[in-house]
Amino acid sequence: MRLLIQLHTPTEAASYEGCALALTLATFGHEVQLYLDAPVFGLLMQPESRLHGMIQSLDLYDMPAAWLPDDVFSGWVIGMLPVDLTSQLMLVPEIIRSQDFEQILTF
C-alpha cells in the first residue's frame, strides 16, 4: 500500500502519532511518504522532540526523505537544522498526484 501522511498539527502528540504510524507501516513493507507542513517546524527545531529523532531515522525504515512545502519557511528551517536531519528532508515535488497514493492521512 502506498500512503501519504501529512503532519499539520503543531503539537508533539499529533506529530508523534502520525510519524509513528508512518514508521510502523514502513516496517511492514508499505510505501510511506511523509509531508511536514510549516506548523511542525518548531518541533523539528527542538533536538529533544520525538519528531526530530524520528525524522533522523527515516533511512533505517527505508523511507524517502520527508517533504517540506516549497516556501520561504522551508529554506529557513533547512538552514537552521543539523546536517543529519536535513539529509532526511526535501522540498515537495512540483506535482503531487494524489491518485498515486492509495490513502492520504492528515494529523
Side-chain angles (χ1 to χ4, degrees):
M1 179 179 274
R2 185 155 163 76
L3 298 109
L4 173 63
I5 297 181
Q6 303 172 329
L7 303 182
H8 290 287
T9 309
T11 64
E12 186 159 15
S15 296
Y16 170 77
E17 291 296 325
C19 199
L21 177 62
L23 298 176
T24 302
L25 291 168
T27 299
F28 291 101
H30 296 285
E31 294 179 49
V32 182
Q33 178 64 59
L34 278 173
Y35 177 91
L36 310 178
D37 207 1
V40 302
F41 289 176
L43 297 171
L44 284 177
M45 299 297 293
Q46 301 172 32
E48 70 281 351
S49 76
R50 291 188 267 180
L51 182 63
H52 184 103
M54 294 169 100
I55 296 301
Q56 285 178 315
S57 67
L58 293 181
D59 276 345
L60 298 173
Y61 293 88
D62 294 325
M63 289 180 61
W67 290 344
L68 300 178
D70 188 9
D71 62 22
V72 82
F73 294 114
S74 297
W76 176 81
V77 81
I78 288 173
M80 297 297 292
L81 293 170
V83 174
D84 62 333
L85 188 60
T86 58
S87 67
Q88 301 298 319
L89 303 170
M90 66 181 286
L91 295 178
V92 67
E94 283 187 33
I95 299 172
I96 300 174
R97 296 170 25 135
S98 60
Q99 64 269 25
D100 289 345
F101 299 98
E102 294 173 56
Q103 206 162 18
I104 298 174
L105 305 172
T106 302
F107 288 84

